[in-house]
Amino acid sequence: MRRGSSGGEPAAGREADVGAVARAAAPAERVGVDAGVDAGAAGEPEREAPEEPRAERARGRPRVAEEGDAPGVPRPPPPAPRAQPQPARARGLRLHREPPGKGRGCRRSSGSPADEVCSPRPVTVDSSKARTSLDALKISIRQLRWKEFPFGRRLPCDIYWHGVSFHDNDIFSGQVNKFPGMTEMVRKITLSRAVRIMQNLFPEEYNFYPRSWILPDEFQLFVAQVRMVKDGDPSWKPTFIVKPDGGCQGDGIYLIKDPSDIRLAGTLQSRPAVVQEYICKPLLIDKLKFDIRLYVLLKSLDPLEIYIAKDGLSRFCTEPYQEPSPKNLHHVFMHLTNYSLNIHSGNFVHSDSTSTGSKRTFSSILCRLSSKGVDIKKVWSDIISLVIKTVIALTPELKVFYQSDIPAGRPGPTCFQILGFDILLMKNLKPILLEVNANPSMRIEHEQELSPGVFENVPSLVDEEVKVAVIRDTLRLMDPLKNKREKQSQPHKKPLAGKEGPSDCEPAGTSDTNPNPEAHLPSICLKQVFPKYAKQFNYLRLVDRMANLFIRFLGIKGSMKLGPTGFRTFIRNCKLSSSSLSMAAVDILYIDITRRWNSMTLDQRDSGMCLQAFIEAFFYLAQRKFKMLPLHEQVASLIDLCEYHLSLLDERRLVCGRSSTAGVRPPGSSTPQGATPSVQQVEGHPPCCTNSAHKSSRPRHALS
Ligand code: ADP
C-alpha cells in the first residue's frame, strides 16, 4: 500500500532527507581520501542470493541459464503487459539471440539506423531473471520511466538484470548487471587468497582484513603460527571465527578459542573453510554489536570505475555484546550480526524509522556518532579506502574470467555489478572488511510474525529507501541512451520511421518537453571514488599489471590457465632467463608451482597454471632478480622490466607488420613463438598494450 501511494518519487524524497542529515552531521575538514564524498551510511543484512554453482560455469562462452541454478525463492512472474505479448518467453524459450555482428555495437546505439530514426525511446530492461531484486527493480524502472520486459523479449534489451550470475541468461549484447567470475572471486577462500597476495605486497595498506587461514590446507600453518605468537606473548588470548567457504547468512559459522577446537571431523574435507582472527572489540551502539552493508557499484573493470552508495544499512545483534569467553562463544545473537539469524530472536525490533530498530540506515549511525563528536569524515574516508583497495585485490582475477567468458573481438555484453560490502567498525573506529557479497539482497520487504506462527511479508521502509536508490541510480549511471537522449532533447526535426517495434519508439516520458529528463529524480546516490582517487591508489595495482602479462600469454581464447609453452614464451619474451636461470629451471619452476596450486584449488578441470600460481612464480623470479629490496619493489621492478621488453617486441612487430604489408619481409623476422599473441591480439587487450607502451617508458615511481 505504501509503495502504491508513494507513486513515482517517494523514496527519492526520503533519501534526500537522509542525505541532508548525513551532510549536516559531517564536519567540514577532509581526511585521508578526499572526504568530499558525502558521509553516507551503509550496511545490510540478510539473505544473499545463492552462489552460482561452480561446476556450471561454462568456459569460453556463456551457458544457457537454467531456472534450477538458483535455489533462491523465485517470484511468480507478474502478468504480461497487454501491449507486449511474450509468447516465446512464456514457453521459456530465449529467442532474442541476435547474429553476432549486432553485439555490442547495437547496444552502444551510436549511429545505427535504428538509433537515428527513432524518437527518444525508453531504455529497455529485461527483468525476467531478477528474482528477489524484482520489486526494487520495478520501482526503479518506473521512476526512470523506462520500459520493463518482465518476461524477456524477442529483440535484444539494453539492460539485463540478473538475480544470481552472469550466466543466468545467454546474452550477446547490451549490458548485464553481473561480471563473469564475481561469485567465485568473493567466496571466502578466494577473497582471502586475493587479499593475502596484497597483504604480502603491502601489509600496512591491507591491514583492514583480519588475518585468515584456509582450511584444511593451512591447518598446520594456523596451529604453528598461533603457537608461535602465544609463546612470544603468553597474555594473548585470541578468539577465532570459522566460516565455511561459500556459506552465507551465518550458516555453519562458529567461534573458537584454540586451534584444537576446530571441528575437523568430516566437514572440512567436504566443505573447506576460512578461520579468521575474531575482532573482539567492535564499536557498540546501545551495547549491541552491528555491522555495515555498503553498496558498491563496479561500473567497469577496464578502465576501473568504482562508485559507492552514500547510504547503506546497519544490522544489529539482538543480545548485548560481551567480549568472547568460553561461556558466551555460542551466543549467535551476541556475536553474529546477520539479519537472517537475528530476525529469529525475540529481541529483534522492526521499526518504521530509519534510525531505530535492528536494521537502520548507516547515515543514521553516522549522525549519532557525529553528535558524540566522532570525526565521521575520517570514518567515511577510511571506508572508501577499504573499498577501493578490496576492489583492487579482486580485479586481476576478474579480468582473467572476463576475457575467458567474453573474449576480445567476440560479441558479448558489457558488465557492471552492485556488490555488498560487509564492514565492521572497531571500537577505535577502524573499518574491518568482513566479506564481499556478489549478490547482496535487494529485497525490500521482510517477514513479520503477525500472530504466533503466522508470517507475512511486509514492506520494509529502511530497505526500500536504500535499495531502490541504489538500483535506480545504478541504472542511471549505466543508461546507454543518455547521450542520445540529451542530444535529442534539443529541438530538431525527427525522422519518421524506426526499425524497431512501435513500442520501442514511445517517448520516454518527459524527454520531448523537458530538457532534463532526470529533473523529477533526486540527486544520484552513487559517488564515484575511482578513478577519482586513482592517484592515491594506483601504486597498489601491481597484481593487475601481472594479470595483464598473464592474459597476454594465455594464447587460446577462453582459457584461464597458462600452459608450459605460454610460460616459456613469457620468460623468453621478457628476457628473464639467464646463465643462472636456464630454461630447464624455468620448466621445473612451472611444474612445481602449477602442481601445488592445482592440488589446492577446487577447479581442476583445466590443466595449467592459474593466475595465483603465476603470481607466485613471478614473486619468486622478482626476488631472485632484485635482491635486497622490499617485495613490492622487487615485483614492481620485474613488471617494469617485462613491460619494457614486451613494448620493444610490439614495436618491432608493428614495424615488421608494416613492412610485410608493403610486400617486404625484413631479414630475421619470424613467426611469433608459441602462444605469443599477434600484435592484433595484443591490441584486443588494451591493458597490455597501454601498460607496456606507457608504463615501461615511465619511471616506476611515477605510479605512486
Ligand atoms: P556470512 O557470509 O555467513 O554472513 P560473514 O563473514 O559475513 O559470513 O560472517 C557472519 C557474521 O559474523 C558477520 O556479519 C559478523 O557479525 C561476524 N563476523 C565475521 N567475521 C568476523 C570477525 N573476523 N570478527 C568479528 N566478527 C565477525
Side-chain angles (χ1 to χ4, degrees):
M1 264 170 65
R2 184 169 50 74
R3 195 177 304 133
S5 64
S6 61
E9 280 111 302
R14 289 195 299 273
E15 183 214 17
D17 291 342
V18 172
V21 172
R23 275 191 297 279
E29 72 268 26
R30 298 177 170 199
V31 186
V33 170
D34 179 359
V37 177
D38 290 351
E44 122 114 275
E46 78 265 358
R47 304 183 184 170
E48 313 306 337
E51 308 261 340
E52 174 190 18
R54 251 167 185 250
E56 296 290 336
R57 205 184 66 73
R59 286 282 151 70
R61 46 175 307 193
R63 70 182 169 81
V64 178
E66 294 148 23
E67 270 302 327
D69 278 357
V73 191
R75 285 169 178 270
R82 268 201 218 146
Q84 291 291 319
Q86 303 288 331
R89 178 67 197 145
R91 290 196 302 273
L93 298 176
R94 303 295 313 165
L95 298 177
H96 71 261
R97 191 168 171 167
E98 288 295 307
K102 283 199 105 180
R104 300 175 195 189
C106 179
R107 175 188 54 76
R108 286 182 187 128
S109 62
S110 52
S112 80
D115 290 335
E116 297 309 321
V117 295
C118 253
S119 61
R121 64 169 178 88
V123 179
T124 53
V125 183
D126 180 336
S127 64
S128 62
K129 300 287 175 184
R131 294 178 186 248
T132 55
S133 47
L134 189 60
D135 288 342
L137 180 64
K138 274 182 180 299
I139 297 175
S140 303
I141 295 173
R142 213 162 47 223
Q143 289 184 3
L144 293 168
R145 300 169 187 175
W146 289 6
K147 190 158 187 60
E148 181 193 359
F149 286 83
F151 301 100
R153 189 193 191 202
R154 203 163 53 82
L155 294 168
C157 274
D158 296 309
I159 293 178
Y160 295 83
W161 199 271
H162 288 182
V164 179
S165 87
F166 176 79
H167 298 291
D168 284 356
N169 223 334
D170 214 358
I171 323 163
F172 297 91
S173 67
Q175 305 184 55
V176 57
N177 68 323
K178 302 284 176 200
F179 278 94
M182 186 66 90
T183 311
E184 283 90 338
M185 278 315 299
V186 300
R187 285 173 76 99
K188 293 180 172 59
I189 287 184
T190 333
L191 176 69
S192 296
R193 283 208 176 107
V195 175
R196 187 186 297 173
I197 289 173
M198 298 307 294
Q199 285 175 328
N200 287 339
L201 286 167
F202 304 102
E204 290 293 311
E205 287 87 339
Y206 279 83
N207 65 8
F208 59 82
Y209 189 69
R211 194 178 175 134
S212 307
W213 295 265
I214 290 154
L215 300 176
D217 292 340
E218 296 174 355
F219 179 69
Q220 295 307 337
L221 183 71
F222 171 51
V223 174
Q225 290 189 340
V226 170
R227 188 176 304 139
M228 202 174 74
V229 182
K230 273 188 175 168
D231 288 349
D233 176 10
S235 68
W236 188 53
K237 301 264 183 275
T239 305
F240 302 97
I241 183 164
V242 184
K243 312 197 249 186
D245 189 41
C248 59
Q249 303 177 4
D251 176 35
I253 291 183
Y254 59 96
L255 304 188
I256 55 170
K257 293 297 282 179
D258 191 86
S260 62
D261 299 333
I262 284 186
R263 299 168 200 164
L264 277 170
T267 54
L268 278 184
Q269 289 307 332
S270 54
R271 197 174 180 193
V274 165
V275 58
Q276 196 169 73
E277 264 182 278
Y278 186 74
I279 306 300
C280 292
K281 294 187 191 301
L283 180 72
L284 305 181
I285 288 192
D286 300 334
K287 300 194 175 128
L288 298 170
K289 176 175 171 178
F290 68 97
D291 76 354
I292 305 158
R293 161 61 56 86
L294 199 65
Y295 297 95
V296 171
L297 170 66
L298 181 54
K299 184 168 180 273
S300 157
L301 202 51
D302 196 0
L304 186 58
E305 281 184 67
I306 311 169
Y307 288 73
I308 299 185
K310 285 192 283 183
D311 207 352
L313 298 167
S314 297
R315 309 168 291 188
F316 280 74
C317 278
T318 43
E319 186 181 330
Y321 184 79
Q322 289 167 12
E323 286 200 25
S325 72
K327 273 192 192 152
N328 67 31
L329 281 188
H330 310 294
H331 292 212
V332 288
F333 298 148
M334 177 188 287
H335 292 292
L336 306 188
T337 47
N338 299 77
Y339 165 85
S340 51
L341 293 174
N342 284 281
I343 184 112
H344 298 297
S345 151
N347 295 335
F348 192 92
V349 180
H350 290 286
S351 171
D352 263 351
S353 151
T354 54
S355 54
T356 57
S358 297
K359 196 198 279 186
R360 310 180 195 176
T361 56
F362 182 44
S363 55
S364 74
I365 304 290
L366 284 178
C367 230
R368 187 152 163 183
L369 294 176
S370 173
S371 69
K372 291 185 175 167
V374 169
D375 181 356
I376 60 167
K377 284 247 167 182
K378 162 97 170 80
V379 173
W380 186 238
S381 104
D382 288 348
I383 288 176
I384 293 175
S385 296
L386 176 153
V387 167
I388 295 175
K389 288 172 189 171
T390 306
V391 175
I392 285 177
L394 293 174
T395 48
E397 201 161 353
L398 273 178
K399 283 186 176 175
V400 178
F401 275 100
Y402 195 90
Q403 63 80 41
S404 166
D405 274 304
I406 314 175
R410 288 198 201 155
T414 48
C415 307
F416 61 94
Q417 189 152 359
I418 297 171
L419 301 169
F421 274 64
D422 290 351
I423 294 168
L424 191 71
L425 285 182
M426 286 173 63
K427 201 174 176 181
N428 63 6
L429 297 169
K430 181 181 167 63
I432 297 290
L433 177 69
L434 296 176
E435 70 163 348
V436 181
N437 291 284
N439 298 312
S441 166
M442 286 294 170
R443 275 178 188 275
I444 50 172
E445 51 186 26
H446 61 80
E447 234 178 38
Q448 203 165 24
E449 195 168 14
L450 297 179
S451 55
V454 182
F455 291 89
E456 197 185 62
N457 280 338
V458 294
S460 162
L461 177 79
V462 69
D463 285 301
E464 184 172 328
E465 173 154 323
V466 171
K467 294 174 185 177
V468 169
V470 169
I471 293 186
R472 181 198 61 226
D473 291 349
T474 295
L475 291 173
R476 282 163 87 182
L477 283 174
M478 302 313 301
D479 182 352
L481 304 181
K482 191 169 188 162
N483 291 342
K484 196 179 121 207
R485 207 180 299 115
E486 277 166 6
K487 259 190 242 151
Q488 283 181 331
S489 67
Q490 292 154 13
H492 68 285
K493 215 179 164 198
K494 289 187 190 104
L496 289 174
K499 199 169 146 192
E500 300 188 25
S503 63
D504 297 314
C505 295
E506 285 166 9
T510 54
S511 313
D512 277 335
T513 50
N514 191 340
N516 175 12
E518 296 200 344
H520 67 293
L521 297 171
S523 66
I524 210 147
C525 77
L526 293 159
K527 289 285 173 193
Q528 194 198 71
V529 294
F530 203 96
K532 185 172 181 187
Y533 302 120
K535 273 190 193 151
Q536 284 163 262
F537 295 94
N538 265 344
Y539 75 100
L540 298 173
R541 301 183 69 191
L542 292 182
V543 184
D544 215 59
R545 291 166 68 194
M546 274 185 255
N548 291 340
L549 296 172
F550 177 80
I551 290 169
R552 176 176 171 134
F553 289 96
L554 277 178
I556 306 161
K557 279 186 178 175
S559 166
M560 290 187 60
K561 288 189 175 173
L562 194 60
T565 314
F567 190 66
R568 282 180 136 242
T569 310
F570 154 69
I571 297 285
R572 276 216 195 93
N573 288 5
C574 296
K575 307 219 177 303
L576 299 182
S577 60
S578 63
S579 52
S580 66
L581 184 72
S582 66
M583 287 313 280
V586 167
D587 288 341
I588 292 170
L589 177 70
Y590 175 88
I591 292 166
D592 272 0
I593 294 183
T594 301
R595 191 180 293 154
R596 192 153 38 76
W597 273 93
N598 283 347
S599 71
M600 275 192 298
T601 48
L602 295 175
D603 182 5
Q604 290 168 18
R605 282 168 302 150
D606 294 350
S607 61
M609 181 180 248
C610 62
L611 178 66
Q612 290 97 336
F614 178 77
I615 291 167
E616 187 180 322
F618 202 93
F619 280 12
Y620 170 81
L621 295 168
Q623 284 164 322
R624 270 181 64 112
K625 197 156 188 84
F626 302 98
K627 300 186 175 74
M628 310 304 289
L629 292 174
L631 180 64
H632 69 271
E633 286 191 30
Q634 293 172 324
V635 168
S637 302
L638 191 66
I639 295 172
D640 284 348
L641 188 72
C642 293
E643 289 175 347
Y644 170 72
H645 285 301
L646 292 175
S647 68
L648 289 184
L649 198 68
D650 288 344
E651 275 165 28
R652 266 209 304 278
R653 282 184 185 153
L654 267 177
V655 172
C656 290
R658 276 194 217 114
S659 313
S660 57
T661 329
V664 185
R665 191 173 173 85
S669 67
S670 58
T671 343
Q673 310 165 36
T676 311
S678 67
V679 170
Q680 271 154 333
Q681 277 174 309
V682 172
E683 279 166 358
H685 297 293
C688 306
C689 233
T690 331
N691 282 346
S692 325
H694 288 226
K695 291 185 181 140
S696 58
S697 57
R698 260 185 311 170
R700 175 160 42 79
H701 309 288
L703 281 175
S704 52

